[in-house]
Amino acid sequence: MKAWLIAVFFTILFITPHAQAHPHVFITPKATLITNDHFVSLINVEWEFDAMSSSLFLESVDSNTAEIWNLVFPETQLLANGGQTARTGYYAYVEIDGRIIDNLVPTGFTAEFIDGVLRCRFTLNINQMVGNTMKLGFSDPTNYNDFDIQRGNFQVVAQNGAIPVLEKQTENYIDKILLSW
């Protein structure tokens, strides 16, 4: 009898799924990168939120852009383990030739509801030379937001010189757009 109870206990322990963090907000990012040969000046970003999250934003703060900013980029982030941490970024990941560009702060933030869907637009000022590669992605370390990165939602406006090739790449379960010259 004792062996049977131990077997049941371990079966339940190892077969029962463990609690995991999962996204509540689904965002489809779009971006236009402005380049001049190997120089990337800025990235114009648009995030389109899912219908349910959009309706919650609208119900909570109406169309007040400052309040939407506070909800989209909270000062304190909740962690998957239940803890809290100060915001360390704005969900944007940019890496140039293997070097991560930290603390990119969005400028020109706007928010509007179009057909009930929240669209936030902002600019990331890069102003950096790129030797060979640049990676761009969006991710949330708390797993509260999920970003659906699709290659077709990213484009380059080349003002002059070489035009980079764009491709989708996945690293450590995070989708990114790779630009290579």
Side-chain angles (χ1 to χ4, degrees):
M1 179 70 169
K2 196 177 201 181
W4 182 81
L5 287 173
I6 291 171
V8 169
F9 171 76
F10 280 106
T11 300
I12 292 171
L13 179 67
F14 291 111
I15 293 179
T16 305
H18 300 285
Q20 295 180 357
H22 61 277
H24 292 82
V25 177
F26 299 90
I27 303 167
T28 301
K30 300 174 184 175
T32 301
L33 295 91
I34 310 300
T35 67
N36 188 347
D37 201 18
H38 284 253
F39 185 81
V40 177
S41 57
L42 53 89
I43 304 170
N44 292 318
V45 178
E46 178 182 314
W47 287 353
E48 183 176 299
F49 288 75
D50 66 282
M52 180 177 278
S53 298
S54 294
S55 67
L56 291 173
F57 275 104
L58 186 60
E59 184 179 303
S60 297
V61 296
D62 198 32
S63 57
N64 182 323
T65 300
E67 289 297 320
I68 292 172
W69 166 274
N70 290 330
L71 290 173
V72 171
F73 301 118
E75 289 296 322
T76 303
Q77 294 178 319
L78 300 175
L79 299 175
N81 66 8
Q84 294 183 0
T85 185
R87 179 183 59 229
T88 56
Y90 294 87
Y91 309 121
Y93 175 88
V94 174
E95 179 183 312
I96 296 176
D97 295 323
R99 182 177 46 89
I100 296 172
I101 308 301
D102 287 325
N103 297 319
L104 290 170
V105 179
T107 61
F109 181 86
T110 63
E112 65 180 332
F113 290 90
I114 299 173
D115 296 327
V117 173
L118 175 60
R119 291 197 174 121
C120 295
R121 291 180 182 91
F122 56 89
T123 298
L124 297 172
N125 294 300
I126 306 299
N127 296 317
Q128 301 266 340
M129 287 297 294
V130 178
N132 297 309
T133 61
M134 176 177 164
K135 294 178 187 175
L136 168 64
F138 300 97
S139 66
D140 180 359
T142 68
N143 293 324
Y144 191 81
N145 298 302
D146 180 63
F147 294 89
D148 181 20
I149 306 270
Q150 297 299 322
R151 159 63 188 92
N153 290 338
F154 292 77
Q155 62 181 350
V156 173
V157 173
Q159 296 174 330
N160 196 8
I163 301 171
V165 175
L166 277 73
E167 61 184 90
K168 183 176 174 180
Q169 191 178 67
T170 303
E171 293 179 349
N172 300 319
Y173 306 103
I174 297 173
D175 292 332
K176 298 174 184 170
I177 296 298
L178 172 68
L179 290 83
S180 51
W181 277 263

